[in-house]
Amino acid sequence: MKSHFNKSMSIMDVLFLAIGAMLGWGWVVLSGEWVSTAGFLGSIIAFLIGGLFVIFIGLTYAELASAFPETGGGFVFVKKAFKPGLAFISGWSVLFGYVSVITFEAVALPTVIDYVLPFKHSGFLWNIQGWDVYLTWVLIGSIGSVILTSLNYFGIKPAAIMQTIFTVFIVAVGLLLVGGAGVNGNFHNLKPLFVDGFGGTMSILIMIPFLFVGFDVIPQIAEEVKAPSKKIGKILIISIIASVFFYLLIVFGVATGLTPKELKTSNLATADAMVNLFGSGGFGVLLVLGGVAGIITSWNAFIIGGSRILYAMAKNGMIPKWFAYIHPKYKTPTHGIIFLGVLAFVAPLLGRPALVWIVDAGGIGVVIGYFLVALSFLKLRKTAPDLERPYKIKNGKIVGIIAIILSLSFIAIYLPGMPSSLLWPSEWLIVFVWYGIAAVLYYVQKRKNEVVKNGKIRSFEPGNE
């Protein structure tokens, strides 16, 4: 079937799309917490183990992305393996995670700009959970939304070019930090190598899967990549490995740039480490600008991925057909892009506390998506052994079982009684509302998909057309 999309993405575009999605803003704001919570070596071990976990899940995506290079990614894989209802849950779950990141980045942007260009905000609107929301603060995030939405509206190539430029800038700033650590860093600061032993390392390990959300954007745009499908699988795994390596280097740079005492008092450890290593406040600002670039690259990547999920679900009759519209000139799912842009535009009005609830709750959607893809991977290995798999991984059954176990472990992290469990009632209420909307949508679309054929009414589930 002829694709409605242009094959305008090169392999390098795809690589930077995924890396930019995974690096985001976390490496700037969380690095101090990693080192002070687990120690230098404890943090390194956590990233090595966590990175390996994510690679196992990534391998299932890589094989399926090469076998089914279609817009929609995990949603398509689950639909090929199971009934449409499970595919709907898969697509809707991953969309939950993407929407949470998109809305959060619209709040992160004005927060970071305040660090670079601090000024007194005006136009007080209201207070949410002790947080004062000002008009000027809201406008920074909303204007950012308009710019990124417009960029994606006019074709994926402009968005890809911007993604590449900003990702290269992030990597360059990170390497500058590491270079400063190698020349001016105090290696005595690396001690203690461990803090709180196994417990400290576990505290960092549970963060890892969510830092690497973004590699799964690659299968979403598989139809738009001008390269053999085998390379799509390879580049997905390379993007995860490159991101793990980047995070390891950042841990080293921060650990050598700040003393344990400075780590505990720093509000933005990565920037403060940069200042210490180079002896100038300007380098701290430069690093924060790298963080701003990270906000934009992850935001941009999830607009691209989220709009393609909406398109694929609409094309299969699971959500309103309005989302399946492809612009005749720009070849982008513009209705999905506009929808996500509107969500990001209004998000800053909720202030920072509400958005933290949303991003925490949305994380469970992504890991549910991982679980269903891992299940689909194993199912298709059994039911479709002759399926052409240009990027076929070795020991598939073992890899699939490990990916399923890891996915279930990640889901368990959110459950009551766990250290990172979702807050009751705020975050669980968001989860229930999101999946409540899914149930209503599925029911309504199922009713709409009753068609008259040969004078008889034929009823079928969404996705069977």
Side-chain angles (χ1 to χ4, degrees):
M1 187 173 68
K2 188 179 183 296
S3 173
H4 295 290
F5 294 93
N6 285 334
K7 285 188 176 293
S8 55
M9 295 280 283
S10 68
I11 281 297
M12 292 307 293
D13 289 335
V14 174
L15 178 63
F16 285 120
L17 176 68
I19 292 176
M22 286 185 273
L23 298 188
W25 169 240
W27 65 279
V28 176
V29 292
L30 296 175
S31 58
E33 183 181 342
W34 301 334
V35 180
S36 60
T37 300
F40 168 67
L41 200 53
S43 299
I44 293 293
I45 290 172
F47 270 96
L48 288 174
I49 295 173
L52 186 63
F53 287 177
V54 175
I55 287 171
F56 273 105
I57 293 171
L59 284 169
T60 65
Y61 273 84
E63 178 173 298
L64 293 174
S66 71
F68 305 110
E70 302 173 26
T71 299
F75 164 79
V76 173
F77 309 154
V78 178
K79 185 172 178 289
K80 298 288 185 182
F82 297 101
K83 291 183 178 180
L86 205 57
F88 180 90
I89 294 171
S90 171
W92 193 254
S93 296
V94 175
L95 183 66
F96 189 17
Y98 285 11
V99 166
S100 71
V101 173
I102 289 168
T103 53
F104 183 78
E105 300 297 17
V107 172
L109 184 62
T111 304
V112 179
I113 295 296
D114 278 352
Y115 184 94
V116 180
L117 298 169
F119 68 94
K120 186 174 177 61
H121 287 286
S122 59
F124 175 78
L125 298 175
W126 43 70
N127 181 286
I128 297 179
Q129 290 288 307
W131 176 269
D132 291 336
V133 181
Y134 289 92
L135 179 61
T136 51
W137 187 86
V138 168
L139 284 175
I140 294 171
S142 297
I143 291 170
S145 169
V146 171
I147 293 171
L148 278 173
T149 302
S150 301
L151 196 66
N152 277 278
Y153 185 97
F154 294 113
I156 195 171
K157 193 61 181 179
I161 292 171
M162 185 212 68
Q163 186 83 357
T164 298
I165 293 170
F166 278 62
T167 303
V168 168
F169 179 67
I170 295 168
V171 173
V173 170
L175 291 177
L176 186 63
L177 171 69
V178 176
V183 176
N184 300 321
N186 186 342
F187 286 76
H188 292 292
N189 291 343
L190 296 179
K191 296 181 180 179
L193 295 177
F194 293 94
V195 176
D196 293 336
F198 178 75
T201 300
M202 279 300 297
S203 296
I204 308 306
L205 185 59
I206 61 176
M207 299 182 193
I208 305 300
F210 318 114
L211 292 171
F212 288 92
V213 171
F215 71 84
D216 46 309
V217 171
I218 290 179
Q220 310 293 354
I221 49 97
E223 262 183 56
E224 298 165 79
V225 181
K226 52 181 179 183
S229 56
K230 183 177 182 178
K231 288 191 176 181
I232 296 174
K234 284 183 178 179
I235 213 72
L236 189 152
I237 300 303
I238 290 170
S239 70
I240 297 174
I241 295 171
S243 298
V244 170
F245 190 59
F246 180 87
Y247 278 115
L248 292 174
L249 292 177
I250 295 301
V251 169
F252 170 73
V254 171
T256 57
L258 294 172
T259 65
K261 184 178 179 181
E262 288 172 326
L263 273 172
K264 290 181 180 179
T265 57
S266 174
N267 291 322
L268 212 56
T270 322
D272 292 339
M274 191 80 146
V275 172
N276 279 2
L277 292 169
F278 289 94
S280 169
F283 282 91
V285 173
L286 179 65
L287 189 130
V288 173
L289 289 175
V292 173
I295 290 172
I296 293 170
T297 55
S298 59
W299 190 350
N300 183 55
F302 291 121
I303 289 176
I304 292 172
S307 61
R308 271 64 180 177
I309 293 176
L310 288 167
Y311 165 81
M313 294 181 73
K315 183 183 173 186
N316 283 274
M318 296 184 178
I319 59 175
K321 286 288 185 183
W322 185 80
F323 288 104
Y325 176 77
I326 299 293
H327 196 284
K329 179 179 179 182
Y330 305 119
K331 303 299 181 183
T332 54
T334 46
H335 288 178
I337 290 167
I338 291 169
F339 172 74
L340 296 172
V342 170
L343 292 181
F345 185 86
V346 302
L349 292 169
L350 298 176
R352 196 185 300 172
L355 268 297
V356 171
W357 296 341
I358 293 171
V359 79
D360 286 347
I364 197 171
V366 173
V367 292
I368 288 172
Y370 289 167
F371 171 65
L372 291 175
V373 167
L375 275 181
S376 301
F377 171 84
L378 275 184
K379 173 83 180 293
L380 289 167
R381 273 292 182 107
K382 184 178 180 179
T383 59
D386 298 327
L387 174 70
E388 185 180 353
R389 295 171 169 87
Y391 187 76
K392 186 172 183 177
I393 59 174
K394 296 179 180 178
N395 303 311
K397 187 174 182 180
I398 295 172
V399 169
I401 291 171
I402 292 174
I404 287 172
I405 293 170
L406 295 175
S407 302
L408 287 173
S409 301
F410 295 153
I411 292 171
I413 288 170
Y414 288 97
L415 301 180
M418 298 299 288
S420 298
S421 62
L422 297 181
L423 297 177
W424 177 265
S426 54
E427 293 176 356
W428 277 111
L429 186 60
I430 292 169
V431 173
F432 294 147
V433 168
W434 182 261
Y435 286 99
I437 294 171
V440 172
L441 266 179
Y442 192 80
Y443 175 76
V444 170
Q445 287 301 126
K446 187 176 180 180
R447 292 290 299 270
K448 282 185 177 180
N449 288 339
E450 291 180 345
V451 297
V452 177
K453 187 176 183 181
N454 297 326
K456 296 181 180 179
I457 295 179
R458 180 171 61 93
S459 178
F460 56 98
E461 283 194 312
N464 281 351
E465 68 274 64

